[in-house]
Amino acid sequence: MVLSLVSLCAREVVSDHSSSPCWLRWVPRELYRALLQAAFTSCRPLAVGELVQRWPERTLRVGGPRKEGQTAPNRLCIQALLLAVVRGLSDQRCALQVLDLCGLQGDEGGLGDPMGGWSLTVALCTMVVQARAGAQRAQRREGERERKRFSALEREKDVKRERGRWKNGNGDEARGAESNGLRMGLCGILGEEELVRGVRRRMEIERKREPGSGGVRQEAEDLTSDVLVHVRADIFVNARSWERVRAALTTLGPLKLQCRYLRVEEISVSSIRTLLDILPHQGLLGIDIRYSSLGVAGLAELLPQISTFPALNSLRLHYCNLDFRRDHLGQEEALRDLSLGLAKIKVLRRLSLTALRLPGQLRVLLSSLPQPLEILELPYLSLSPVDLAYLSCSHHASSLQQLDLSENCLDESTLPSIRRLLSQASSSLQHLSLSGCGLTDGLLELLLPSLGGCLALKSLALALNPLSMAGLMDLVRMAVRMPSLRHLLYPNPLEDYQPGLPDLPSSAQLLDWPLDEATEINMTSSQLNRVRLDSGRSDLFLTCDLLNYDKDLVD
């Protein structure tokens, strides 16, 4: 990547922290973003803090999609940024009103020591609570100064009144005593708190106490007006961080935490309901619930709350124990409630259901959705032929951009439905995963024409399928003829495994079975890449990586 002259100069400027007092006061506001980016790239937390504390614009966005080869900001730099935001609340040079940290989180333990989503959430919540405590301390100090100023004014008035009493005689002295008694009576009635705030504040309080004056509504408006910076981020919540997140979301102070994507893990239905109640309703785009034992009834209970978020377009449920059994009393009714709840999410575009075991119920779940889905992920869902037949004819088929059917068994009975589904989605489908679906050479041969017809397809995952070297060669020959395809994830051929593998091995057996050490593993890759290069497709990447396969399922 070729750096611009501005970027090169910015890196040189932030490299020497001892010179920052010289250039900070003269740097124009147009260069702040370039300097901040250089400070993140060069891992200069002190420069990050000084720039953010004096941020000259109303909005600061840090995070979002990263370019290829670009790493997430360093942990120390993020901590310096959050500390500078709190300090900037009392710095008149700081104009910051919106801090957007969406997508800032990196992989814990990754290159460059980035801050993961869980650590970032805890740090954000701590920042919000500390900002509230700092504002309260500042308010108490201001109140103390006001009290002292008011006392000084009162003493000055008393001195003047005493002087006037000696000058004007006993009559004036009596009137002065009467005035002094009236003043003392008022002080007793109003109390110390009203006196501290001054005359104007005292009048406002008295007006709010009058019946019908709308004091409660005015107080709520005052609390909202106290917000100086709106902090927007992706929030990660588990049992360990739950209390801290709840405290931050219910804190009224100079920082207000808002959520774009919410991810919760291993917390109960009641805790999720409480969390949804206290989340700001505007701006939440996605909810991701993982490893929480919801059950069909629990999810049906949550969906009415989830549907109240007007911008929500993504719902992901991973390993939430939605095991549907007809022999259990009330399951049919709970499934209908589940369908009605999904139908209330008006702008839903992405639905992910992982390992929920709802065979034969796909029509009930998806037919009531008002808008066609663009992303549908159904791995480990035990889909039946009836489910796949419905999906191929549903109103979602022609709009799908991403489809994941991993670990659902495909055979001769389901192949016509898959081919019809691919035909319906041929102009829109960009990402397809059929990993671990039991595709043999014979099934793949029947499926290749339909795959080749998906002209918009960018990535195709077929890991952990029992394919021979001949089947893989046919797959690559088809892939090089697809102009939009950029990534093909293929399985190890059966010839690479040690003897004893069953004739039709499952994906679990392929994952655990040892590879033959005597086999030249690189030979498979070289043969496939030779076909790719001979066709002139240097832009197509061929990958045989089971770790990538596992990561796709988790993320």
Side-chain angles (χ1 to χ4, degrees):
M1 181 178 63
V2 179
L3 297 177
S4 65
L5 181 60
V6 172
S7 299
L8 291 172
C9 293
R11 288 191 180 186
E12 185 65 25
V13 168
V14 301
S15 62
D16 183 9
H17 180 260
S18 62
S19 64
S20 60
C22 301
W23 56 262
L24 268 174
R25 68 181 66 179
W26 305 112
V27 64
R29 58 181 296 170
E30 292 81 5
L31 294 179
Y32 265 74
R33 290 189 180 274
L35 289 168
L36 183 61
Q37 182 60 45
F40 276 124
T41 304
S42 305
C43 189
R44 302 291 180 180
L46 295 177
V48 169
E50 290 181 336
L51 289 166
V52 173
Q53 187 172 338
R54 298 167 173 81
W55 194 251
E57 300 178 5
R58 296 179 57 185
T59 302
L60 171 58
R61 291 184 176 88
V62 182
R66 288 182 283 274
K67 299 178 181 178
E68 186 176 355
Q70 184 181 8
T71 59
N74 178 273
R75 180 184 300 269
L76 292 177
C77 292
I78 297 176
Q79 292 171 346
L81 181 147
L82 300 182
L83 182 60
V85 170
V86 177
R87 290 177 175 173
L89 296 173
S90 57
D91 194 330
Q92 295 183 353
R93 295 168 296 184
C94 184
L96 185 63
Q97 296 182 13
V98 177
L99 176 63
D100 191 343
L101 303 178
C102 298
L104 179 61
Q105 64 274 4
D107 296 327
E108 293 278 3
L111 184 64
D113 191 26
M115 183 176 283
W118 309 104
S119 301
L120 180 59
T121 297
V122 172
L124 281 173
C125 295
T126 303
M127 175 187 70
V128 171
V129 174
Q130 287 179 348
R132 168 62 172 172
Q136 290 176 334
R137 288 193 297 269
Q139 187 176 8
R140 285 195 294 267
R141 289 194 297 268
E142 182 65 24
E144 182 65 20
R145 284 194 293 269
E146 286 291 325
R147 187 186 66 80
K148 291 180 178 179
R149 185 177 64 85
F150 186 80
S151 299
L153 291 174
E154 288 298 314
R155 285 195 299 269
E156 184 179 352
K157 290 179 181 179
D158 289 342
V159 171
K160 292 180 178 180
R161 190 176 294 110
E162 287 294 331
R163 292 174 179 173
R165 183 187 309 164
W166 288 106
K167 291 180 179 180
N168 297 330
N170 292 335
D172 292 339
E173 181 179 353
R175 285 192 297 272
E178 181 180 355
S179 175
N180 188 43
L182 180 60
R183 180 179 61 79
M184 296 301 293
L186 286 175
C187 290
I189 294 173
L190 294 176
E192 183 180 358
E193 180 180 357
E194 286 84 351
L195 290 175
V196 168
R197 297 179 182 273
V199 177
R200 181 176 297 179
R201 181 59 177 163
R202 190 160 64 239
M203 293 175 62
E204 292 178 359
I205 293 176
E206 291 298 327
R207 178 174 55 82
K208 291 178 183 179
R209 287 177 178 173
E210 296 177 1
S213 63
V216 175
R217 178 167 52 87
Q218 181 66 36
E219 183 177 358
E221 292 176 358
D222 289 346
L223 291 173
T224 303
S225 64
D226 289 339
V227 177
L228 300 179
V229 179
H230 294 266
V231 182
R232 187 162 165 77
D234 301 329
I235 298 180
F236 293 63
V237 188
N238 56 17
R240 293 186 297 275
S241 62
W242 157 242
E243 289 295 339
R244 193 168 302 197
V245 171
R246 181 171 63 175
L249 289 173
T250 54
T251 293
L252 298 175
L255 298 181
K256 183 175 180 60
L257 187 59
Q258 298 177 332
C259 181
R260 182 188 67 161
Y261 286 107
L262 173 67
R263 175 170 167 177
V264 299
E265 287 191 8
E266 298 178 328
I267 61 177
S268 63
V269 175
S270 59
S271 296
I272 297 175
R273 290 193 61 180
T274 302
L275 183 61
L276 295 176
D277 279 336
I278 61 179
L279 274 177
H281 276 60
Q282 298 297 328
L284 183 66
L285 301 182
I287 296 178
D288 187 345
I289 304 176
R290 304 189 181 202
Y291 314 114
S292 300
S293 184
L294 301 181
V296 176
L299 180 57
E301 183 181 349
L302 290 177
L303 284 176
Q305 271 186 293
I306 293 175
S307 63
T308 60
F309 294 90
L312 188 76
N313 58 36
S314 174
L315 178 61
R316 307 180 72 184
L317 305 172
H318 297 267
Y319 302 96
C320 292
N321 193 27
L322 266 68
D323 192 355
F324 178 75
R325 298 180 181 177
R326 293 180 180 274
D327 55 341
H328 286 192
L329 187 63
Q331 290 280 288
E332 293 280 358
E333 183 179 355
L335 191 63
R336 285 195 297 271
D337 294 339
L338 190 63
S339 175
L340 293 175
L342 286 173
K344 293 179 181 178
I345 309 177
K346 300 300 183 182
V347 294
L348 189 64
R349 292 293 182 269
R350 177 175 189 168
L351 181 62
S352 178
L353 308 173
T354 301
L356 302 188
R357 297 186 296 276
L358 297 171
Q361 305 302 321
L362 200 61
R363 178 187 295 272
V364 179
L365 293 177
L366 302 185
S367 60
S368 58
L369 294 179
Q371 300 292 333
L373 294 171
E374 296 176 357
I375 301 177
L376 182 59
E377 298 168 322
L378 305 173
Y380 293 96
L381 210 64
S382 304
L383 295 176
S384 67
V386 175
D387 292 325
L388 294 173
Y390 159 73
L391 185 59
S392 66
C393 300
S394 69
H395 64 295
H396 306 287
S398 59
S399 300
L400 288 175
Q401 298 179 13
Q402 182 172 327
L403 177 64
D404 187 354
L405 299 177
S406 300
E407 298 297 336
N408 289 286
C409 183
L410 303 181
D411 52 24
E412 290 83 357
S413 63
T414 58
L415 199 62
S417 298
I418 294 297
R419 295 183 64 178
R420 183 165 57 248
L421 174 61
L422 294 178
S423 175
Q424 292 290 325
S426 59
S427 60
S428 61
L429 191 61
Q430 299 179 19
H431 306 279
L432 174 64
S433 179
L434 298 177
S435 297
C437 291
L439 290 175
T440 60
D441 289 355
L443 291 175
L444 181 63
E445 183 181 0
L446 296 175
L447 195 58
L448 284 179
S450 299
L451 289 172
C454 297
L455 301 180
L457 198 63
K458 296 180 180 179
S459 68
L460 174 62
L462 294 173
L464 295 181
N465 282 296
L467 299 175
S468 67
M469 188 63 194
L472 287 180
M473 294 294 287
D474 292 338
L475 173 63
V476 174
R477 292 189 186 100
M478 181 275 301
V480 298
R481 295 195 299 269
M482 301 176 66
S484 298
L485 192 64
R486 295 294 179 266
H487 186 207
L488 173 63
L489 182 65
Y490 64 89
N492 286 99
L494 296 176
E495 292 85 348
D496 287 355
Y497 290 90
Q498 289 185 6
L501 191 66
D503 293 336
L504 292 176
S506 64
S507 60
Q509 290 172 327
L510 291 173
L511 185 62
D512 296 334
W513 204 269
L515 295 174
D516 192 350
E517 296 180 359
T519 304
E520 191 66 37
I521 303 298
N522 291 331
M523 186 179 299
T524 300
S525 176
S526 62
Q527 291 179 7
L528 298 178
N529 277 290
R530 189 179 303 117
V531 175
R532 175 180 67 92
L533 295 175
D534 290 345
S535 63
R537 286 299 306 275
S538 58
D539 58 340
L540 173 61
F541 293 93
L542 306 181
T543 308
C544 181
D545 190 348
L546 298 183
L547 293 178
N548 284 346
Y549 165 69
D550 292 340
K551 184 176 183 298
D552 289 341
L553 289 184
V554 174
D555 291 343

